[in-house]
Amino acid sequence: MSLPHIAADQISLPHVLAALGDPTRLAIVRMLAHSADMPIACGGFTDLGSKTNISYHLAKLREAGITRTEIAGTSRLISLRSADLDARFPGLLDSILLATSDAARAHDPLPIPATGVLA
Amino acid sequence: MSLPHIAADQISLPHVLAALGDPTRLAIVRMLAHSADMPIACGGFTDLGSKTNISYHLAKLREAGITRTEIAGTSRLISLRSADLDARFPGLLDSILLATSDAARAHDPLPIPATGVLA
DNA sequence: TCCTTTGTTCAAAATTCATTGAACTATTGA
DNA sequence: TCAATAGTTCAATGAATTTTGAACAAAGGA
């Protein structure tokens, strides 16, 4: 079971870039990329915002064609559409993920986690 | 003579992606990339919008660290900060420019099927 | 069945963004 | 000096975005 997703061919570059231009959504994508193809349920992102707000951002990512959402019971499993994105825009996702690595973030303002080990 | 620009290592990924998430600004960057290191004056972008509007978008690109603006007489010469961007986010600009190429854009407008239910 | 878990949808508020026209600065050339 | 050129800045406006809480729906377990 799965929510409707746009075809890989119809993923639009400005929409993808605009979606990833938001720090919360970029953090979500980064978490998905680091989970090694293991989908993450919505609840796994609660450090990044309220339940409602995460739902909103996840919808944006899905509508942009960046993530896939599978329904499993009461959970929704979110995964990156890495292959679709790389086919449509070769190298784009990789370079963005590389840019979000700790080294590249060294000069970025520290993201403030709502709660967590850094607090 | 040149306007103030942020340092290369302070360029922020979310800001860059948000800036390039706008179709007008993406078109500006594409024009700059295709001009083979020849800077373009603001007037060169008038196809993309009104004078005031282009000024606004060029300021956004400059503030994000994507372009450099040099003052030359009454003109301002805009150029891409390709080297700075590539040093900060390796491969990112190239993959975005590749994604804006004609081949990658082929599926952006809704394709009209020769035959089918939509006809 | 009832309750809990998981997540969405809705309406409202606050904020930000994009666009425009008028007014402005600064440089160039006649 | 005067006028034209090249862009910016400002204020206003309408649109889109982000965020929140309340209400909702669906599935699972006691």
Side-chain angles (χ1 to χ4, degrees):
Chain A
M1 191 85 77
S2 143
L3 262 51
H5 297 84
I6 64 172
D9 283 16
Q10 312 228 339
I11 300 178
S12 133
L13 181 65
H15 285 117
V16 167
L17 296 178
L20 297 181
D22 178 89
T24 301
R25 293 193 289 261
L26 201 51
I28 290 173
V29 167
R30 193 168 179 245
M31 285 184 63
L32 289 169
H34 284 77
S35 85
D37 292 329
M38 274 292 298
I40 301 179
C42 303
F45 303 109
T46 44
D47 285 357
L48 303 173
S50 68
K51 199 173 59 160
T52 316
N53 191 231
I54 292 300
S55 182
Y56 165 76
H57 286 301
L58 287 175
K60 285 269 175 182
L61 287 171
R62 176 171 37 79
E63 286 157 15
I66 296 169
T67 56
R68 187 186 331 273
T69 302
E70 308 267 352
I71 302 183
T74 68
S75 293
R76 314 232 164 164
L77 299 179
I78 318 294
S79 54
L80 266 185
R81 294 181 66 177
S82 312
D84 287 343
L85 284 169
D86 206 59
R88 182 92 169 95
F89 306 128
L92 179 64
L93 182 59
D94 284 347
S95 65
I96 290 176
L97 291 173
L98 176 62
T100 64
S101 71
D102 294 323
R105 289 159 58 93
H107 294 89
D108 274 343
L110 190 63
I112 29 173
T115 66
V117 291
L118 294 180
Chain B
M1 192 86 79
S2 143
L3 262 51
H5 297 83
I6 64 172
D9 57 2
Q10 309 231 338
I11 300 177
S12 131
L13 182 65
H15 286 118
V16 167
L17 296 178
L20 297 181
D22 178 89
T24 301
R25 293 193 289 261
L26 202 50
I28 290 173
V29 167
R30 195 168 179 245
M31 285 183 63
L32 289 169
H34 283 77
S35 85
D37 292 327
M38 275 291 298
I40 301 179
C42 304
F45 303 109
T46 44
D47 286 357
L48 303 173
S50 68
K51 199 172 60 158
T52 316
N53 191 230
I54 292 300
S55 181
Y56 165 77
H57 286 302
L58 287 176
K60 285 269 175 182
L61 287 172
R62 176 169 39 78
E63 286 158 14
I66 296 169
T67 56
R68 185 185 333 272
T69 302
E70 308 267 352
I71 301 183
T74 68
S75 293
R76 314 229 163 165
L77 299 179
I78 318 293
S79 54
L80 265 186
R81 294 180 65 178
S82 313
D84 286 344
L85 284 169
D86 207 58
R88 181 93 169 95
F89 306 127
L92 178 63
L93 182 59
D94 284 347
S95 64
I96 290 176
L97 290 173
L98 175 62
T100 65
S101 71
D102 294 324
R105 290 159 57 91
H107 291 89
D108 266 348
L110 190 61
I112 301 171
T115 67
V117 290
L118 294 179

